[in-house]
């Protein structure tokens, strides 16, 4: 039972354009959502998060949007840079302890 | 400041053997969580420890166990290894038991043959 889903395994975007990564969840008990970026041979790096009481959070080039009614969140990266090429995971918390439930990941490739 | 460190980096074991993986959290962080990442999937929660006590456990068999030491470092033990245990094992730390924002180490790549 996949409670957090990233339906796009990969995404290719031109440098300077906007990258939009999507994530859907099924469990309405989730109250905190995070995005992590992962380079090969490294652990996931925390990028940005959002609480369920908000619908938008912005940090520099990164903005996360949360649509609770649709159980959907998205990560916008503007402008996209070559260094943004990585695997992006969305994760959700709220089931107690620090148990994060991760999606399968989306591989983002930024083309020059 | 040093981030989360894990050892060893890579490990090859045979079915039926046991393995111990180690993690040192960021200085000042008292909470350590363990995750398993199988190729092509996202990390899956195994355990959380805070102040040496287990705070959460994921859907893993009893072959998986962990502990946390007084210096907040942690060990993950897996007994009777199966081929399906081959994965990247990630350790994450945070400064509070209830913080969802966790900082991950580089992981230990375990291969079971």
């Amino acid at each position: 039972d996949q409670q957090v889903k990233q339906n796009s395994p990969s995404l290719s975007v031109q440098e300077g354009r906007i990258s939009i990564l999507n994530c859907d969840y099924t469990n309405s008990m989730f109250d905190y959502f995070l995005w992590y970026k992962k380079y090969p041979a490294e652990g996931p790096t925390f990028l940005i998060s959002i609480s369920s009481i908000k619908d938008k959070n912005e940090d520099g080039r990164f903005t996360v949007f949360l649509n609770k009614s649709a159980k959907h969140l998205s990560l916008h990266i503007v402008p996209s840079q070559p260094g943004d090429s990585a695997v992006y995971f969305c994760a959700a918390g709220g089931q107690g302890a620090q148990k994060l439930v991760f999606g399968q990941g989306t591989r983002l490739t930024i083309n020059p | 400041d040093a981030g989360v460190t894990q050892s060893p980096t890579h490990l090859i074991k045979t079915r039926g053997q046991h393995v111990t993986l180690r993690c040192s959290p960021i200085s000042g962080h008292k909470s350590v969580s363990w995750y398993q990442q199988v190729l092509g999937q996202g990390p899956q929660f195994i355990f959380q420890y805070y102040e040496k006590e287990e705070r959460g456990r994921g859907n893993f068999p009893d072959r998986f166990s962990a502990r946390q030491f007084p210096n907040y470092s942690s060990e993950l033990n897996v007994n009777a290894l199966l081929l399906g245990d081959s994965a990247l094992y990630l350790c994450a730390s945070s400064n509070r038991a209830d913080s969802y924002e966790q900082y991950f180490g580089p992981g230990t790549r375990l291969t079971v043959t």
Side-chain angles (χ1 to χ4, degrees), chain A residues 19-90:
Chain A
S19 295
I20 300 176
L21 296 98
N22 294 302
C23 179
D24 297 296
Y25 63 96
T26 57
N27 192 334
S28 57
M29 297 297 291
F30 289 141
D31 61 5
Y32 203 81
F33 303 89
L34 308 91
W35 284 94
Y36 282 85
K37 178 169 74 172
K38 188 178 186 300
Y39 294 119
E42 294 184 12
T45 302
F46 169 72
L47 204 53
I48 192 169
S49 62
I50 187 167
S51 165
S52 61
I53 62 173
K54 296 185 176 181
D55 55 18
K56 177 183 174 181
N57 189 27
E58 194 171 351
D59 184 2
R61 296 185 299 115
F62 303 92
T63 303
V64 55
F65 295 92
L66 176 61
N67 183 334
K68 289 186 289 295
S69 61
K71 293 190 176 64
H72 177 84
L73 65 154
S74 61
L75 174 68
H76 292 208
I77 306 174
V78 182
S80 300
Q81 300 174 352
D84 296 330
S85 295
V87 177
Y88 288 78
F89 292 98
C90 70

Side-chain angles (χ1 to χ4, degrees), chain B residues 74-95:
Chain B
S74 177
E75 283 182 355
L76 175 70
N77 295 284
V78 187
N79 294 324
L81 285 166
L82 302 174
L83 295 178
D85 295 331
S86 295
L88 180 68
Y89 289 85
L90 294 162
C91 173
S93 76
S94 66
N95 57 358

Side-chain angles (χ1 to χ4, degrees), chain B residues 2 6 10 22 39-40 46-47 51-52 56 59 69-70 82-83 92 94 105 110:
Chain B
Q6 293 185 243
H10 295 88
R22 295 177 175 82
L39 198 62
I46 310 175
F47 286 112
E51 291 279 15
K52 296 176 288 181
N59 188 24
F69 299 99
L82 302 174
L83 295 178
S94 66
L110 172 66

Side-chain angles (χ1 to χ4, degrees), chain A residues 2 31-32 34 36 38 41-44 46 49 89 93-100 102-105, chain B residues 31 33 35 37 40-43 45 48 55-56 88 90 94 96-102 104-106:
Chain A
Q2 192 74 28
D31 61 5
Y32 203 81
L34 308 91
Y36 282 85
K38 188 178 186 300
E42 294 184 12
F46 169 72
S49 62
F89 292 98
Q95 296 187 328
Q98 289 184 330
K99 177 182 177 180
L100 290 179
F102 283 82
Q104 309 96 306
Chain B
S31 177
S33 295
Y35 290 80
Q37 186 181 11
Q41 299 293 320
F45 175 79
Q48 182 209 356
R55 286 296 192 97
L88 180 68
L90 294 162
S94 66
R96 300 197 329 257
D98 60 349
S99 173
Y100 290 115
E101 294 179 14
Q102 301 173 45
F104 285 82

